[in-house]
Amino acid sequence: MTSTSTLPTRRLGTTGPQVSALGLGCMGMSALYGETDRAESIATVHAALDAGITLIDTGDFYGMGHNELLINEALRTAPAAAREQALTSVKFGALRTVEGGFTGYDGRPAAVKNFAAYSLQRLGTDHIDIYRIARVDPDVPIEETVGAIAELVEAGHVRHIGLSEVGTDTLRRAAAVAPIADLQIEYSLISRGIEEKILPTARELGIGITAYGVLSRGLISGHFTRDRELTPGDFRGMSPRFQGDNLDRNLDLVDQLRAIAEAKGVTVAQTAIAWVLAQGPLHGADIVPLIGARRRDRLTEALGSLDLTLDAADLAAIERAVPAGAAAGERYPAAQMAHLDSEH
Protein backbone atom coordinates (compact mmCIF):
# COMPACT_ATOMS: atom_id res chain seq x y z
CA MET A 1 0.00 0.00 0.00
CA THR A 2 1.32 3.44 -0.87
CA SER A 3 0.27 6.75 0.53
CA THR A 4 -1.64 8.82 -2.02
CA SER A 5 -3.77 11.06 0.17
CA THR A 6 -3.05 14.74 0.60
CA LEU A 7 -4.35 17.17 3.18
CA PRO A 8 -4.48 20.96 3.24
CA THR A 9 -1.17 22.38 4.39
CA ARG A 10 0.04 25.25 6.55
CA ARG A 11 3.47 26.84 6.73
CA LEU A 12 4.89 27.04 10.24
CA GLY A 13 5.74 30.71 10.45
CA THR A 14 7.68 32.60 7.81
CA THR A 15 10.77 30.39 8.07
CA GLY A 16 9.38 26.98 8.97
CA PRO A 17 8.36 23.98 6.87
CA GLN A 18 5.11 23.36 5.04
CA VAL A 19 3.17 20.74 7.02
CA SER A 20 -0.24 19.09 6.99
CA ALA A 21 -3.03 21.19 8.50
CA LEU A 22 -3.27 18.63 11.32
CA GLY A 23 -0.32 17.04 13.08
CA LEU A 24 -0.20 13.81 15.08
CA GLY A 25 0.81 14.15 18.73
CA CYS A 26 2.18 10.80 19.90
CA MET A 27 2.73 11.25 23.65
CA GLY A 28 -0.30 9.20 24.68
CA MET A 29 1.04 6.21 22.76
CA SER A 30 3.76 5.83 25.37
CA ALA A 31 2.84 7.55 28.62
CA LEU A 32 0.57 9.60 30.86
CA TYR A 33 -2.83 8.35 29.68
CA GLY A 34 -2.90 4.85 31.12
CA GLU A 35 -2.44 1.60 29.26
CA THR A 36 -1.02 1.69 25.73
CA ASP A 37 -1.28 -0.65 22.75
CA ARG A 38 1.91 -0.82 20.69
CA ALA A 39 0.37 -2.48 17.65
CA GLU A 40 -2.56 -0.06 17.53
CA SER A 41 -0.22 2.89 18.05
CA ILE A 42 1.93 1.90 15.08
CA ALA A 43 -1.19 1.23 12.99
CA THR A 44 -2.44 4.72 13.92
CA VAL A 45 0.81 6.36 12.81
CA HIS A 46 0.62 4.43 9.55
CA ALA A 47 -3.00 5.50 9.05
CA ALA A 48 -2.06 9.12 9.74
CA LEU A 49 0.71 9.03 7.18
CA ASP A 50 -1.55 7.33 4.66
CA ALA A 51 -4.16 10.05 5.20
CA GLY A 52 -1.59 12.73 4.42
CA ILE A 53 -0.50 13.85 7.88
CA THR A 54 3.16 14.84 7.67
CA LEU A 55 3.88 16.35 11.11
CA ILE A 56 4.70 13.76 13.79
CA ASP A 57 5.23 15.24 17.27
CA THR A 58 7.08 13.57 20.13
CA GLY A 59 9.37 14.22 23.09
CA ASP A 60 12.48 12.37 24.20
CA PHE A 61 10.98 12.06 27.71
CA TYR A 62 7.69 10.48 26.57
CA GLY A 63 8.09 7.09 28.20
CA MET A 64 11.82 7.87 28.64
CA GLY A 65 12.65 7.28 24.97
CA HIS A 66 9.86 4.77 24.34
CA ASN A 67 7.93 7.14 22.09
CA GLU A 68 10.89 7.92 19.86
CA LEU A 69 11.60 4.21 19.45
CA LEU A 70 7.93 3.64 18.64
CA ILE A 71 8.00 6.34 15.97
CA ASN A 72 11.22 4.86 14.59
CA GLU A 73 9.46 1.51 14.18
CA ALA A 74 6.35 3.07 12.70
CA LEU A 75 8.31 5.10 10.14
CA ARG A 76 10.64 2.23 9.32
CA THR A 77 7.69 -0.05 8.54
CA ALA A 78 5.65 2.56 6.65
CA PRO A 79 5.62 2.78 2.85
CA ALA A 80 8.61 4.72 1.55
CA ALA A 81 6.49 7.49 0.04
CA ALA A 82 4.80 8.19 3.37
CA ARG A 83 8.02 7.92 5.34
CA GLU A 84 9.76 10.43 3.10
CA GLN A 85 7.04 13.00 3.69
CA ALA A 86 7.10 12.69 7.48
CA LEU A 87 8.54 15.54 9.54
CA THR A 88 9.57 14.98 13.15
CA SER A 89 8.97 17.58 15.87
CA VAL A 90 10.86 16.70 19.05
CA LYS A 91 10.81 18.22 22.53
CA PHE A 92 13.71 17.75 24.92
CA GLY A 93 15.00 18.91 28.28
CA ALA A 94 12.65 17.31 30.81
CA LEU A 95 14.48 15.44 33.57
CA ARG A 96 12.86 12.22 34.78
CA THR A 97 13.23 9.72 37.61
CA VAL A 98 13.15 5.93 37.37
CA GLU A 99 9.69 6.07 38.94
CA GLY A 100 8.48 8.41 36.22
CA GLY A 101 8.58 11.70 38.10
CA PHE A 102 9.68 15.04 36.66
CA THR A 103 12.54 16.84 38.40
CA GLY A 104 13.13 19.89 36.24
CA TYR A 105 14.54 20.94 32.88
CA ASP A 106 18.05 21.25 31.45
CA GLY A 107 18.66 23.82 28.74
CA ARG A 108 22.46 24.06 28.94
CA PRO A 109 24.10 24.00 25.48
CA ALA A 110 26.03 20.81 26.23
CA ALA A 111 22.82 19.15 27.41
CA VAL A 112 20.94 20.30 24.31
CA LYS A 113 23.47 18.58 22.05
CA ASN A 114 23.51 15.49 24.26
CA PHE A 115 19.70 15.19 24.14
CA ALA A 116 19.80 15.60 20.34
CA ALA A 117 22.41 12.87 19.90
CA TYR A 118 20.25 10.39 21.79
CA SER A 119 17.09 11.40 19.92
CA LEU A 120 18.73 10.98 16.54
CA GLN A 121 19.83 7.50 17.56
CA ARG A 122 16.41 6.47 18.87
CA LEU A 123 14.57 7.90 15.89
CA GLY A 124 17.00 6.26 13.47
CA THR A 125 17.46 9.43 11.44
CA ASP A 126 20.23 11.86 10.58
CA HIS A 127 18.19 14.98 11.37
CA ILE A 128 15.27 16.30 13.42
CA ASP A 129 12.94 18.60 11.53
CA ILE A 130 11.86 20.82 14.45
CA TYR A 131 13.64 20.79 17.82
CA ARG A 132 12.49 22.58 20.96
CA ILE A 133 13.02 22.58 24.71
CA ALA A 134 9.82 21.39 26.41
CA ARG A 135 9.90 24.05 29.13
CA VAL A 136 12.30 26.94 29.68
CA ASP A 137 15.16 26.12 32.03
CA PRO A 138 14.99 28.96 34.60
CA ASP A 139 18.73 28.66 35.25
CA VAL A 140 19.82 29.03 31.62
CA PRO A 141 19.12 32.10 29.45
CA ILE A 142 16.91 31.16 26.51
CA GLU A 143 19.53 32.75 24.24
CA GLU A 144 22.00 30.00 25.20
CA THR A 145 19.52 27.18 24.66
CA VAL A 146 18.34 28.50 21.29
CA GLY A 147 21.93 29.25 20.31
CA ALA A 148 22.84 25.61 20.88
CA ILE A 149 19.94 24.46 18.67
CA ALA A 150 21.09 26.97 16.04
CA GLU A 151 24.49 25.27 16.07
CA LEU A 152 22.75 21.94 15.51
CA VAL A 153 20.96 23.53 12.55
CA GLU A 154 24.26 24.76 11.15
CA ALA A 155 25.70 21.25 11.53
CA GLY A 156 22.73 19.72 9.68
CA HIS A 157 21.38 17.73 12.63
CA VAL A 158 18.28 19.94 13.01
CA ARG A 159 16.30 21.72 10.30
CA HIS A 160 14.20 24.23 12.28
CA ILE A 161 14.03 25.70 15.79
CA GLY A 162 10.82 25.63 17.81
CA LEU A 163 9.74 26.76 21.26
CA SER A 164 7.24 25.39 23.76
CA GLU A 165 5.06 27.11 26.35
CA VAL A 166 6.94 30.42 26.41
CA GLY A 167 5.67 33.93 27.09
CA THR A 168 6.08 37.03 24.97
CA ASP A 169 9.39 38.21 26.44
CA THR A 170 11.03 34.83 25.94
CA LEU A 171 9.56 34.62 22.45
CA ARG A 172 11.17 37.92 21.48
CA ARG A 173 14.52 37.06 23.06
CA ALA A 174 14.65 33.71 21.30
CA ALA A 175 13.67 35.18 17.93
CA ALA A 176 16.50 37.70 18.25
CA VAL A 177 19.01 34.81 18.32
CA ALA A 178 17.79 32.70 15.39
CA PRO A 179 14.72 32.15 13.21
CA ILE A 180 11.93 30.40 15.15
CA ALA A 181 9.56 28.24 13.10
CA ASP A 182 6.81 27.69 15.63
CA LEU A 183 5.64 27.89 19.21
CA GLN A 184 4.02 24.75 20.56
CA ILE A 185 1.48 25.71 23.18
CA GLU A 186 -1.87 24.58 24.56
CA TYR A 187 -4.81 26.16 22.74
CA SER A 188 -8.41 25.02 22.71
CA LEU A 189 -11.92 26.25 23.29
CA ILE A 190 -11.31 26.06 27.05
CA SER A 191 -7.60 27.06 27.03
CA ARG A 192 -7.48 30.46 25.37
CA GLY A 193 -4.80 32.22 27.38
CA ILE A 194 -2.57 32.79 24.35
CA GLU A 195 -5.06 35.08 22.62
CA GLU A 196 -4.31 38.27 24.54
CA LYS A 197 -0.54 38.60 24.13
CA ILE A 198 1.26 35.44 23.02
CA LEU A 199 -0.61 34.82 19.76
CA PRO A 200 -0.34 38.45 18.54
CA THR A 201 3.38 38.47 19.38
CA ALA A 202 3.97 35.21 17.51
CA ARG A 203 2.19 36.64 14.48
CA GLU A 204 4.18 39.86 14.69
CA LEU A 205 7.41 37.84 14.70
CA GLY A 206 6.32 35.47 11.92
CA ILE A 207 6.21 32.43 14.24
CA GLY A 208 3.64 29.69 13.66
CA ILE A 209 1.59 27.95 16.35
CA THR A 210 1.34 24.20 16.80
CA ALA A 211 -1.59 23.86 19.18
CA TYR A 212 -1.64 20.90 21.52
CA GLY A 213 -4.46 19.94 23.88
CA VAL A 214 -7.07 20.98 21.31
CA LEU A 215 -9.47 18.49 22.93
CA SER A 216 -8.15 19.30 26.41
CA ARG A 217 -6.85 15.76 26.94
CA GLY A 218 -10.17 14.30 25.94
CA LEU A 219 -12.23 16.54 28.22
CA ILE A 220 -14.01 18.29 25.33
CA SER A 221 -13.85 15.35 22.91
CA GLY A 222 -17.45 14.36 23.59
CA HIS A 223 -16.27 10.93 24.73
CA PHE A 224 -15.40 11.68 28.37
CA THR A 225 -18.16 10.87 30.87
CA ARG A 226 -18.79 11.92 34.45
CA ASP A 227 -18.58 8.35 35.75
CA ARG A 228 -15.40 7.36 33.90
CA GLU A 229 -12.75 5.77 36.12
CA LEU A 230 -9.21 6.63 35.11
CA THR A 231 -6.57 3.91 35.13
CA PRO A 232 -3.43 4.17 37.31
CA GLY A 233 -0.80 6.42 35.75
CA ASP A 234 -3.32 8.52 33.82
CA PHE A 235 -2.24 12.16 34.10
CA ARG A 236 -5.85 13.30 34.13
CA GLY A 237 -6.26 11.85 37.61
CA MET A 238 -4.18 14.81 38.86
CA SER A 239 -5.50 17.45 36.48
CA PRO A 240 -7.66 20.10 38.18
CA ARG A 241 -10.09 20.23 35.26
CA PHE A 242 -10.99 16.56 35.78
CA GLN A 243 -11.67 16.86 39.51
CA GLY A 244 -15.03 16.95 41.32
CA ASP A 245 -17.16 20.00 40.66
CA ASN A 246 -14.69 21.21 38.03
CA LEU A 247 -15.36 18.13 35.93
CA ASP A 248 -19.11 18.60 36.21
CA ARG A 249 -18.92 22.25 35.20
CA ASN A 250 -16.62 21.50 32.27
CA LEU A 251 -18.78 18.65 30.99
CA ASP A 252 -21.75 21.02 31.17
CA LEU A 253 -19.86 23.15 28.63
CA VAL A 254 -19.34 20.06 26.48
CA ASP A 255 -23.08 19.38 26.55
CA GLN A 256 -23.69 22.87 25.23
CA LEU A 257 -21.12 22.30 22.48
CA ARG A 258 -22.73 18.93 21.69
CA ALA A 259 -26.01 20.63 20.83
CA ILE A 260 -24.22 22.74 18.19
CA ALA A 261 -22.33 19.74 16.82
CA GLU A 262 -25.43 17.58 16.52
CA ALA A 263 -27.29 20.35 14.70
CA LYS A 264 -24.52 20.30 12.08
CA GLY A 265 -24.40 16.51 11.92
CA VAL A 266 -20.83 16.28 13.24
CA THR A 267 -19.18 15.20 16.48
CA VAL A 268 -18.13 17.30 19.44
CA ALA A 269 -14.46 16.53 18.77
CA GLN A 270 -14.74 17.59 15.13
CA THR A 271 -16.36 20.85 16.18
CA ALA A 272 -13.68 21.60 18.78
CA ILE A 273 -10.84 20.87 16.35
CA ALA A 274 -12.50 22.85 13.55
CA TRP A 275 -12.81 25.81 15.93
CA VAL A 276 -9.03 25.82 16.45
CA LEU A 277 -8.44 25.46 12.71
CA ALA A 278 -10.72 28.45 12.10
CA GLN A 279 -8.85 30.86 14.39
CA GLY A 280 -6.63 33.52 12.90
CA PRO A 281 -5.83 34.89 9.47
CA LEU A 282 -6.77 32.92 6.38
CA HIS A 283 -8.79 30.40 8.34
CA GLY A 284 -6.11 29.67 10.88
CA ALA A 285 -3.28 29.31 8.40
CA ASP A 286 -0.77 30.11 11.13
CA ILE A 287 -2.18 27.48 13.54
CA VAL A 288 -1.68 23.72 13.19
CA PRO A 289 -3.60 21.60 15.72
CA LEU A 290 -1.88 18.48 17.03
CA ILE A 291 -4.26 15.55 17.38
CA GLY A 292 -3.38 13.18 20.20
CA ALA A 293 -5.13 10.17 18.65
CA ARG A 294 -3.98 6.81 19.99
CA ARG A 295 -6.40 4.76 17.90
CA ARG A 296 -7.36 4.72 14.26
CA ASP A 297 -11.03 5.42 14.95
CA ARG A 298 -10.16 8.57 16.90
CA LEU A 299 -7.79 9.61 14.10
CA THR A 300 -10.53 9.16 11.50
CA GLU A 301 -12.88 11.26 13.58
CA ALA A 302 -10.29 14.03 13.95
CA LEU A 303 -9.56 14.09 10.22
CA GLY A 304 -13.25 14.75 9.66
CA SER A 305 -12.76 18.19 11.19
CA LEU A 306 -11.03 19.26 7.97
CA ASP A 307 -14.31 18.81 6.11
CA LEU A 308 -16.19 21.03 8.56
CA THR A 309 -16.46 24.71 7.70
CA LEU A 310 -17.58 26.98 10.51
CA ASP A 311 -19.12 30.24 9.34
CA ALA A 312 -19.48 33.41 11.38
CA ALA A 313 -22.81 32.30 12.82
CA ASP A 314 -21.34 28.93 13.86
CA LEU A 315 -18.37 30.58 15.54
CA ALA A 316 -20.65 33.00 17.37
CA ALA A 317 -22.81 30.12 18.60
CA ILE A 318 -19.74 28.24 19.83
CA GLU A 319 -18.52 31.38 21.58
CA ARG A 320 -21.84 31.67 23.40
CA ALA A 321 -21.79 27.99 24.37
CA VAL A 322 -18.18 28.00 25.56
CA PRO A 323 -17.07 31.58 26.27
CA ALA A 324 -13.43 32.41 26.90
CA GLY A 325 -12.54 31.78 30.52
CA ALA A 326 -15.47 29.44 31.12
CA ALA A 327 -13.35 26.40 32.06
CA ALA A 328 -13.25 25.35 35.71
CA GLY A 329 -9.78 24.57 37.05
CA GLU A 330 -6.25 25.16 35.79
CA ARG A 331 -4.88 23.12 32.90
CA TYR A 332 -2.09 21.61 35.03
CA PRO A 333 -1.57 20.96 38.75
CA ALA A 334 0.04 23.92 40.56
CA ALA A 335 3.56 22.43 40.58
CA GLN A 336 3.52 22.03 36.80
CA MET A 337 1.92 25.42 36.21
CA ALA A 338 4.97 26.92 37.92
CA HIS A 339 7.17 25.58 35.10
CA LEU A 340 5.18 27.37 32.39
CA ASP A 341 6.97 30.48 31.19
CA SER A 342 3.82 31.18 29.17
CA GLU A 343 1.86 31.70 32.39
CA HIS A 344 4.20 34.26 33.95
Side-chain angles (χ1 to χ4, degrees), residues 3 7 28 32 41 112 115 165-166 213 229 258 272 281 296-297:
S3 176
L7 294 179
L32 299 180
S41 295
V112 173
F115 288 130
E165 286 289 355
V166 304
E229 293 187 9
R258 193 186 310 276
R296 284 167 286 181
D297 59 338

Side-chain angles (χ1 to χ4, degrees), residues 71-300:
I71 290 171
N72 179 338
E73 182 178 350
L75 293 179
R76 192 175 66 248
T77 55
R83 181 171 61 250
E84 289 165 4
Q85 294 176 16
L87 302 176
T88 53
S89 168
V90 179
K91 290 177 289 299
F92 69 88
L95 304 176
R96 306 294 303 273
T97 66
V98 174
E99 294 76 22
F102 287 85
T103 60
Y105 298 90
D106 193 345
R108 295 171 301 147
V112 173
K113 295 175 181 178
N114 176 77
F115 288 130
Y118 278 80
S119 284
L120 290 167
Q121 178 68 25
R122 284 187 292 259
L123 289 166
T125 184
D126 63 357
H127 73 275
I128 295 165
D129 292 288
I130 313 169
Y131 202 47
R132 70 188 86 241
I133 190 166
R135 301 288 187 267
V136 174
D137 181 344
D139 297 324
V140 178
I142 193 64
E143 290 86 352
E144 294 184 18
T145 302
V146 169
I149 305 176
E151 291 177 5
L152 290 169
V153 172
E154 186 175 353
H157 304 310
V158 169
R159 296 280 169 83
H160 302 280
I161 304 171
L163 294 167
S164 176
E165 286 289 355
V166 304
T168 55
D169 179 60
T170 302
L171 204 57
R172 292 186 186 281
R173 289 166 54 198
V177 174
I180 305 297
D182 71 319
L183 167 63
Q184 189 173 120
I185 196 162
E186 186 166 352
Y187 186 44
S188 75
L189 264 171
I190 64 170
S191 296
R192 296 175 60 176
I194 72 170
E195 291 177 343
E196 183 180 355
K197 295 180 180 179
I198 294 175
L199 184 54
T201 301
R203 287 173 172 158
E204 174 195 334
L205 297 172
I207 297 171
I209 298 289
T210 42
Y212 76 89
V214 293
L215 297 179
S216 297
R217 300 163 184 83
L219 181 59
I220 59 171
S221 67
H223 301 298
F224 203 93
T225 59
R226 286 172 167 82
D227 59 355
R228 179 171 173 177
E229 293 187 9
L230 297 172
T231 57
D234 192 319
F235 161 81
R236 292 171 292 191
M238 299 182 296
S239 172
R241 289 186 175 172
F242 289 82
Q243 307 299 315
D245 290 343
N246 287 350
L247 178 62
D248 286 335
R249 289 168 58 192
N250 291 330
L251 290 181
D252 285 345
L253 297 174
V254 176
D255 288 340
Q256 293 169 208
L257 186 62
R258 193 186 310 276
I260 296 171
E262 289 178 349
K264 294 188 70 66
V266 296
T267 70
V268 175
Q270 289 167 341
T271 306
I273 297 167
W275 180 88
V276 177
L277 281 165
Q279 302 309 301
L282 300 177
H283 303 289
D286 58 350
I287 299 174
V288 175
L290 296 174
I291 306 304
R294 297 190 289 167
R295 302 183 342 222
R296 284 167 286 181
D297 59 338
R298 294 289 193 251
L299 172 67
T300 299

Side-chain angles (χ1 to χ4, degrees), residues 4-22:
T4 57
S5 300
T6 58
L7 294 179
T9 61
R10 305 278 187 267
R11 179 170 296 282
L12 291 182
T14 56
T15 65
Q18 197 84 7
V19 301
S20 52
L22 294 178

